[in-house]
Amino acid sequence: MANGSVGVGGFLFADEELSEISGLKRGLDFVEVMCGCTSHRYGDAVGRLRVFSSGHLEIDCDCTPGCQEVKLSPAAFEKHSGRETARKWKSNVWVIVAGEKVSLSKTPLLKYYNQTSKSTNGSHKGLCHRDEFIRCAVCNKERRFRLRNKEECRIYHDALADQKWSCSCVPADKISCDADEERASRKVLRGCSRSPSCKGCTSCVCFGCEVCRFAECSCQICIDFTRNAET
């Protein structure tokens, strides 16, 4: 592994590439930095950007104390910040480099994201799973399920199979029937890495993969996937 780098599947950042970026933390297969987006009306919205070994990007927002917007795509974070000229997240989302705000497009942080985008070229390689919604059987409000990893996919998978699923099935500190349902304008943001308002493209629609299907599950859809994968 190169000096000072994080390496999984060739994902490498040298010390000198990130040394002056504020809030740097290193994980097993990602790096995390402080980021933000500026609205002329609302000011700076700050957050924590994670760059994963796959090239996937996600942001946990800290725009206000207690903000619960996590694992946003950069485009969704840009829109959440109130940025007036949205849809240019590579230029509008910034990090602090040597004390100055610098657009993501001018940093090394997009190197692997751009490589992944070019290599996929519309195929199912690097596929992400967009957010899904399930309606609570008690309060009748739709609740968002983020599907960024196998654990989150399993939670959604089991909830979808439960016809009596309700907000009470989620830890009380995360959601309850008393919480407001998301606004319709927020619901259109489904976590697609290419377009925040995507209605279903080849990047975020999956009909079964090792992330969202489970060999130990007894439902027919998982059984069929497992059998097909073995043949």
Side-chain angles (χ1 to χ4, degrees):
M1 190 179 300
N3 179 39
S5 65
V6 176
V8 173
F11 178 63
L12 300 172
F13 281 117
D15 279 344
E16 56 269 22
E17 290 183 292
L18 306 179
S19 61
E20 296 187 305
I21 299 181
S22 295
L24 175 64
K25 295 180 181 179
R26 299 181 184 274
L28 179 63
D29 65 343
F30 69 89
V31 294
E32 178 181 295
V33 298
M34 173 186 172
C35 71
C37 190
T38 302
S39 162
H40 296 299
R41 177 179 297 181
Y42 302 110
D44 291 346
V46 296
R48 288 166 288 133
L49 167 68
R50 283 193 178 122
V51 181
F52 287 88
S53 58
S54 63
H56 177 67
L57 308 172
E58 68 180 33
I59 297 175
D60 288 357
C61 184
D62 293 325
C63 63
T64 58
C67 179
Q68 297 184 5
E69 295 295 334
V70 296
K71 298 183 179 180
L72 298 173
S73 69
F77 174 69
E78 176 193 45
K79 187 174 181 68
H80 175 68
S81 73
R83 174 78 189 193
E84 292 81 2
T85 55
R87 300 189 180 184
K88 296 182 179 180
W89 63 264
K90 291 184 181 181
S91 298
N92 291 336
V93 176
W94 44 260
V95 296
I96 301 294
V97 182
E100 301 290 334
K101 294 177 182 176
V102 178
S103 299
L104 280 179
S105 60
K106 297 180 180 179
T107 73
L109 293 168
L110 296 184
K111 177 166 56 176
Y112 298 98
Y113 172 85
N114 291 334
Q115 287 178 1
T116 300
S117 296
K118 290 179 181 179
S119 65
T120 57
N121 192 29
S123 74
H124 281 272
K125 293 181 180 179
L127 183 76
C128 72
H129 297 80
R130 66 176 183 168
D131 300 346
E132 300 292 349
F133 291 88
I134 294 180
R135 193 174 295 278
C136 173
V138 176
C139 68
N140 202 38
K141 297 172 183 175
E142 282 192 321
R143 300 306 188 191
R144 181 185 295 268
F145 286 75
R146 292 183 170 87
L147 311 178
R148 301 296 186 271
N149 54 49
K150 196 169 187 67
E151 180 183 5
E152 291 178 340
C153 285
R154 185 57 189 261
I155 292 172
Y156 169 72
H157 177 79
D158 291 347
L160 188 64
D162 183 0
Q163 295 183 354
K164 296 182 179 180
W165 182 90
S166 69
C167 298
S168 63
C169 298
V170 182
D173 61 334
K174 293 186 178 181
I175 196 69
S176 72
C177 286
D178 294 331
D180 292 337
E181 185 175 346
E182 286 191 33
R183 303 187 308 273
S185 59
R186 283 287 308 154
K187 286 184 179 180
V188 300
L189 307 179
R190 301 282 288 275
C192 176
S193 59
R194 296 188 180 185
S195 171
S197 58
C198 176
K199 291 184 169 78
C201 69
T202 55
S203 287
C204 65
V205 173
C206 178
F207 298 100
C209 70
E210 292 182 354
V211 176
C212 64
R213 299 291 181 259
F214 311 94
E216 72 278 11
C217 179
S218 60
C219 80
Q220 193 60 49
I221 192 170
C222 287
I223 291 173
D224 290 344
F225 173 81
T226 303
R227 286 175 177 170
N228 291 334
E230 292 175 348
T231 59

